[in-house]
Amino acid sequence: MLFENLAQQILLGLHIPDGFLSVPVSALWWILTIAALAVAVRQVDGLSERQIPLMGVMAAFIFAGQMLNFPIPGGTSGHLLGGALAALLLGPWAASLVMACVVALQALLFQDGGLLVLGANIFNMGIATAFVGWWVGTALLRAFGGQRWGLVAAGFVAGWVSLMVAAILTSVQLVLSGLSAAIVFPAMLGVHAVIGIGEGLITAAALAFVVATRPDLASTLTGSLGTDAARRGVGRGALAGITGVGLAIAAGLALLSPLASGDPDGLERVAEDQGFLERAQDPAYNVLPDYTIPGLDGPISTIVAGIVGLLIVFAIAYGVTLLLRGNKAETPR
Amino acid sequence: MLDLAEPHTDQPAPTVAMLELRGLHYTYPDGTPALRGVSLRVCAGEKVALVGPNGAGKSTLLLHLNGVLRAPEGAVLVDGAPVADTTIRQVRARVGLVFQDPDDQLFSPTVFDDVAFGPLHMGLGEAEVRERVARALAQVGMAGFERRMPHHMSLGQRKRVAIATVLAMDPALLALDEPSAGLDPRARRGLVQLLRDLPQAMIVSTHDMRLVAEVFPRMVVLAEGQVAYDGPSAPFLADSALLERYGLERP
Amino acid sequence: MTLAPSALDRYIDSKSPVHALDARVKLLLTLACILALGLLPPGAWAGIATIATILWWAVLRARIGLGLVMRRAFVALPFALVALTLVFSRPGVPLLRLPLGPLTLTATDAGLIAFASVLVKSWLSVQAALLLTATTHFTDVLHALRALRLPAVLVAILSFAYRYLFVLVDEAQRMLRARECRSAELPGQRPGGSIVWRATVVGQMVGTLFLRSYERSERIYVAMLSRGYSGELRALHHRPLSRREQGLLFVGGGILAAIVFLTYVAGGGPR
């Protein structure tokens, strides 16, 4: 029973169990999660009462959708976390609430993820994936000018990036709780860079299917492309702020933690650990860029690992967006 | 349009109909016409079967009875008063609508919560709510299932609870969509008994001609959005040519 | 993530003092227990053992198989792989050197203690959550959450999600079965197309499930309207906690707080 589905256990890599995060780290992300959900609830309260049954059924849909998978060579399978998909279909607010319910149900009903760490899990898998997925997806769609292939590409990148951000946040929290950054970052990011491909492909295909079958239902997405919609959400700015603060705190603490621990002995082993990992790793890890900088000492290497891990995804997404915007500016529509 | 309507002699005929439809027209948002001038009167305690092929407009008609859908042309009168924004809450307490799929009707995690939903939203006090839930569940023979989850019950049980959810609102008219669809023979027999026993007026859409013969003295045949027949069931069900014309089966 | 019925499910309707306890009390005590475990520093075996004893006593009082709970609590085990690095990254007395080609890994006593602590605390936390799940109907947990001031909107969404979880999982499983029935393999042929193609198939299944779910939510909304819903969520009032239940909360919370406090006094704080 324990190892019957390897892929589900890899996905469990994002469902942190109790005991792995320190109490202050858990508390910090509870605060961020409560703040974000409070904003989201207020946003949804302003919408119609129609939204409540919709979001409940959507949470059940995401839960069930996570069971749909496809085999990947190497004994694992590709499947969905769903945050980016939910955001692109329902908007980031509703999606945050929907995903929060999914993650909470998994913890309360099936012990997938702990209770004390539920705040962190909701933030990583619910709020961050929904918001980052929405941000990346709509930015790319706008850059691609609403083409069909653009929808597929935007869905893919949004799915992949959202999963990477969730993996980064999870890693940051684990590192803040005392685990070795040199192991956690490459391991989590490596595994999820691969799993993220499945996430991206399914998100893109599902999105394309829905837009083709019921274009009226994708109005949240297509409506966001209008210029007025960009200015509409003051609250969206608030959620962006909270997500930003969460990421900033994560980055700051990740940066400081190796210095603050004042533990040279442990840090000297980072290089060894890195080597250990290289040996033990799945072939999949080779896809991943090496997060330690050769020739640098342990502490600096760890810090660099943290920063690079956090920024690389944003850099790629932002760069692509800028490039495409630049291209589009030259060609009048 | 064929008109075989005959006056009912076996039913008492009150002067104000419990439910009256006058020249109802409705078109789906995509432009397909669904109802094309439907008129109908149902008196208190009367049991009416609504039959006709899929797409004839049966479900659409039922959705008009409690104002979920509003026809742009024609009127729905409940107790002589037209359905409008000001009367909608009373209308929904008078007309209990039960959907075909109990998984749509039963949206709460437990039977109790679901049956209590209507009374709670009518603004009743806690004691009254609990009393109505107990009474409604007893009426459909589902007392003792309060804490059960709908998902863990059989289709027949879920259909009974679905009926209880509107009985708890104490309606004068029940509008049921395909109540016998998918039931096994025993559950179906239980349903027939239940429909016979309930004192409320009923308008029940169905493809089940045996059910019509067993429970409903009057039937309304809907074809292409219009009333093709409105009258006693027995002669219609005995007429093979008529049954054939509307794609219905002999009971 | 599996919805296979758990062996613990059959305990949900049994009778015991733990089952009879109000869901609010159980929920708060469960959280307090997990919090206390989280606050204990690595190697605080006395404190961990005391909490474990209380927890197992509660499991036995609930007349649930202790072995079953312990086995089921291993769900978090794969995550321990991440924590394994603690063994080699904590400073302390070297216990074991593993030569791996050009480099050597050194396991330390402090590392081993940190690793073991995380594992045991995680394992016990899952047991506490399992005890709650096995003795409390989820609908009671929902009512408890509402009584504990979780916003009504969230509780309502959770209720709908819980109600339709099983309906939609059934639909998803029917889809997977239908795909399986059409997935044949010919000898000597590479099965099943490219990964992108397979992912597209799953994506379309997800899209189909979304549309069905969306349409279902529309029907549910109509069913709610038909029964007087006007946007306001109403529920019966919650009875206040009895004095006995309040007492239990304070005693339980007090004992857990005392365990944590005494551990810190005795050990001079976390390392």
Side-chain angles (χ1 to χ4, degrees):
Chain A
M1 178 202 98
L2 210 54
F3 293 101
E4 90 190 319
N5 194 338
L6 190 64
Q8 289 194 345
Q9 282 166 12
I10 292 175
L11 194 69
L12 281 179
L14 289 177
H15 290 79
I16 309 170
D18 278 320
F20 287 81
L21 292 191
S22 71
V23 174
V25 172
S26 304
L28 180 62
W29 263 279
W30 262 119
I31 294 169
L32 291 169
T33 295
I34 290 169
L37 290 183
V39 179
V41 164
R42 192 147 313 148
Q43 283 286 314
V44 171
D45 265 351
L47 299 173
S48 77
E49 73 280 5
R50 165 90 190 70
Q51 294 274 329
I52 289 170
L54 173 65
M55 286 194 293
V57 178
M58 283 300 123
F61 151 68
I62 294 286
F63 196 105
Q66 290 181 348
M67 302 183 74
L68 299 172
N69 54 14
F70 62 94
I72 289 178
T76 139
S77 67
H79 51 135
L80 191 68
L81 183 64
L85 179 64
L88 292 172
L89 288 171
L90 306 169
W93 295 111
S96 294
L97 288 179
V98 163
M99 291 303 293
C101 287
V102 173
V103 176
L105 279 177
Q106 285 167 342
L108 285 165
L109 287 173
F110 305 103
Q111 284 79 43
D112 282 342
L115 296 178
L116 192 62
V117 296
L118 186 56
N121 280 333
I122 289 178
F123 194 92
N124 304 346
M125 286 182 282
I127 296 160
T129 55
F131 194 69
V132 170
W134 170 261
W135 179 74
V136 172
T138 51
L140 286 178
L141 256 184
R142 223 172 290 138
F144 293 142
Q147 302 282 330
R148 190 186 143 79
W149 62 267
L151 183 75
V152 171
F156 177 80
V157 177
W160 188 83
V161 171
S162 71
L163 206 68
M164 288 307 276
V165 168
I168 290 170
L169 282 165
T170 307
S171 309
V172 166
Q173 289 151 0
L174 288 170
V175 168
L176 289 178
S177 303
L179 295 186
S180 160
I183 299 287
V184 169
F185 270 98
M188 292 293 283
L189 296 190
V191 168
H192 288 94
V194 176
I195 292 186
I197 294 172
E199 177 86 14
L201 289 173
I202 298 176
T203 302
L207 215 54
F209 180 83
V210 171
V211 169
T213 320
R214 286 282 304 268
D216 54 311
L217 289 191
S219 59
T220 314
L221 183 57
T222 43
S224 76
L225 300 179
T227 44
D228 60 324
R231 268 177 271 124
R232 190 179 352 139
V234 182
R236 192 176 300 154
L239 190 57
I242 292 167
T243 314
V245 168
L247 290 170
I249 291 176
L253 292 178
L255 231 151
L256 293 177
S257 57
L259 299 179
S261 78
D263 176 7
D265 204 37
L267 293 168
E268 276 167 16
R269 285 202 180 78
V270 162
E272 291 180 5
D273 289 340
Q274 187 60 34
F276 161 73
L277 189 85
E278 302 270 6
R279 255 146 227 297
Q281 74 197 358
D282 209 72
Y285 290 179
N286 295 332
V287 186
L288 186 77
D290 192 346
Y291 279 100
T292 49
I293 309 299
L296 287 185
D297 280 348
I300 299 174
S301 173
T302 307
I303 292 168
V304 171
I307 300 171
V308 169
L310 200 63
L311 292 183
I312 189 162
V313 167
F314 285 99
I316 293 170
Y318 192 65
V320 169
T321 312
L322 275 186
L323 269 174
L324 290 163
R325 258 194 207 145
N327 285 345
K328 218 181 70 175
E330 286 161 27
T331 50
R333 12 163 155 206
Chain B
M1 183 167 88
L2 162 111
D3 191 2
L4 299 175
E6 289 169 26
H8 297 261
T9 46
D10 53 338
Q11 298 255 344
T15 45
V16 173
M18 212 252 106
L19 172 81
E20 187 173 354
L21 310 182
R22 287 186 192 154
L24 222 51
H25 282 266
Y26 183 78
T27 306
Y28 289 120
D30 67 359
T32 319
L35 301 178
R36 300 187 298 166
V38 173
S39 296
L40 201 63
R41 277 167 68 98
V42 179
C43 299
E46 202 177 2
K47 294 188 166 137
V48 182
L50 187 63
V51 302
N54 286 338
K58 300 191 299 293
S59 298
T60 311
L61 180 65
L62 293 183
L63 288 174
H64 279 84
L65 300 187
N66 71 349
V68 170
L69 292 180
R70 306 275 184 88
E73 199 182 317
V76 179
L77 289 87
V78 175
D79 298 326
V83 174
D85 285 337
T86 47
T87 58
I88 194 79
R89 294 189 70 97
Q90 291 92 298
V91 165
R92 285 181 181 158
R94 290 286 283 167
V95 180
L97 186 60
V98 180
F99 293 80
Q100 178 182 351
D101 183 353
D103 279 338
D104 297 338
Q105 179 86 15
L106 305 177
F107 46 72
S108 308
T110 65
V111 167
F112 178 90
D113 287 343
D114 224 301
V115 182
F117 186 93
L120 268 176
H121 284 78
M122 289 163 80
L124 299 175
E126 178 163 349
E128 172 83 11
V129 170
R130 289 186 187 280
E131 197 253 298
R132 281 187 179 220
V133 172
R135 199 178 53 202
L137 285 175
Q139 254 182 307
V140 299
M142 293 295 287
F145 281 71
E146 285 83 352
R147 284 171 59 82
R148 294 280 293 275
M149 271 191 76
H151 187 73
H152 295 146
M153 300 180 342
S154 74
L155 181 65
Q157 291 174 326
R158 277 181 285 162
K159 290 233 175 194
R160 284 170 169 274
V161 173
I163 294 173
T165 62
V166 299
L167 288 180
M169 298 172 73
D170 212 0
L173 175 80
L174 292 175
L176 312 183
D177 200 354
E178 310 248 3
S180 65
L183 291 185
D184 64 28
R186 184 190 307 191
R188 194 187 160 283
R189 267 200 306 281
L191 180 86
V192 167
Q193 200 56 48
L194 176 64
L195 294 183
R196 276 193 186 142
D197 290 347
L198 289 172
Q200 282 88 355
M202 274 176 206
I203 179 159
V204 174
S205 93
T206 185
H207 291 299
D208 182 350
M209 292 304 124
R210 258 176 64 213
L211 182 73
V212 177
E214 284 166 330
V215 182
F216 301 97
R218 175 182 165 196
M219 66 191 281
V220 171
V221 180
L222 219 54
E224 292 171 2
Q226 290 178 323
V227 175
Y229 174 86
D230 182 356
S233 307
F236 190 99
L237 293 176
D239 189 330
S240 310
L242 273 179
L243 288 170
E244 180 61 32
R245 182 187 304 179
Y246 297 107
L248 302 171
E249 280 185 335
R250 190 179 271 281
Chain C
M1 202 108 17
T2 167
L3 277 195
S6 146
L8 282 171
D9 283 352
R10 67 190 148 99
Y11 291 103
I12 192 82
D13 280 320
S14 39
K15 300 257 180 290
S16 84
V18 181
H19 285 80
L21 211 53
D22 187 274
R24 286 167 284 185
V25 177
K26 276 188 274 189
L27 185 61
L28 289 174
L29 285 179
T30 304
L31 290 175
C33 179
I34 297 172
L35 177 64
L37 281 168
L39 286 170
L40 289 176
W45 299 118
I48 291 174
T50 317
I51 293 179
T53 311
I54 297 172
L55 185 60
W56 291 335
W57 173 76
V59 172
L60 292 175
R61 286 282 284 170
R63 303 210 187 93
I64 292 177
L66 185 56
L68 191 60
V69 171
M70 289 179 170
R71 275 199 305 280
R72 275 278 287 134
F74 281 126
V75 286
L77 204 62
F79 214 91
L81 290 174
V82 186
L84 193 63
T85 62
L86 280 171
V87 176
F88 305 104
S89 63
R90 288 273 166 131
V93 181
L95 296 178
L96 179 70
R97 284 177 190 282
L98 284 177
L100 280 173
L103 42 92
T104 326
L105 289 173
T106 313
T108 64
D109 62 340
L112 209 58
I113 287 171
F115 175 64
S117 300
V118 164
L119 280 200
V120 172
K121 283 157 71 173
S122 177
W123 183 56
L124 289 171
S125 301
V126 178
Q127 290 180 43
L130 277 172
L131 178 61
L132 174 72
T133 314
T135 60
T136 320
H137 280 280
F138 188 69
T139 48
D140 294 336
V141 174
L142 286 175
H143 287 146
L145 287 171
R146 181 73 198 106
L148 296 171
R149 301 292 165 81
L150 196 71
V153 177
L154 278 179
V155 178
I157 299 174
L158 277 173
S159 308
F160 281 113
Y162 179 63
R163 168 67 181 90
Y164 288 101
L165 195 65
F166 303 94
V167 178
L168 295 187
V169 164
D170 278 355
E171 272 185 37
Q173 269 164 351
R174 280 197 298 271
M175 285 179 172
L176 286 177
R177 216 169 293 139
R179 181 185 64 178
E180 221 124 277
C181 292
R182 283 181 285 162
S183 305
E185 208 169 306
L186 296 175
Q189 294 266 325
R190 214 176 116 257
S194 71
I195 287 182
V196 172
W197 178 78
R198 286 183 218 169
T200 309
V201 171
V202 171
Q204 284 166 355
M205 287 161 82
V206 170
T208 307
L209 194 63
F210 167 76
L211 292 180
R212 286 189 196 167
S213 309
Y214 193 95
E215 282 156 11
R216 187 181 286 281
S217 88
E218 284 176 332
R219 296 196 300 271
I220 294 164
Y221 178 58
V222 170
M224 291 170 76
L225 283 182
S226 296
R227 285 194 271 153
Y229 177 68
S230 56
E232 190 190 345
L233 296 160
R234 298 188 193 186
L236 291 176
H237 290 290
H238 309 279
R239 68 175 177 84
L241 285 179
S242 73
R243 188 147 306 166
R244 193 181 145 269
E245 287 162 339
Q246 289 177 4
L248 200 65
L249 264 183
F250 279 112
V251 170
I255 290 174
L256 290 167
I259 292 169
V260 174
F261 179 73
L262 288 174
T263 303
Y264 275 83
V265 169
R271 1 188 138 188

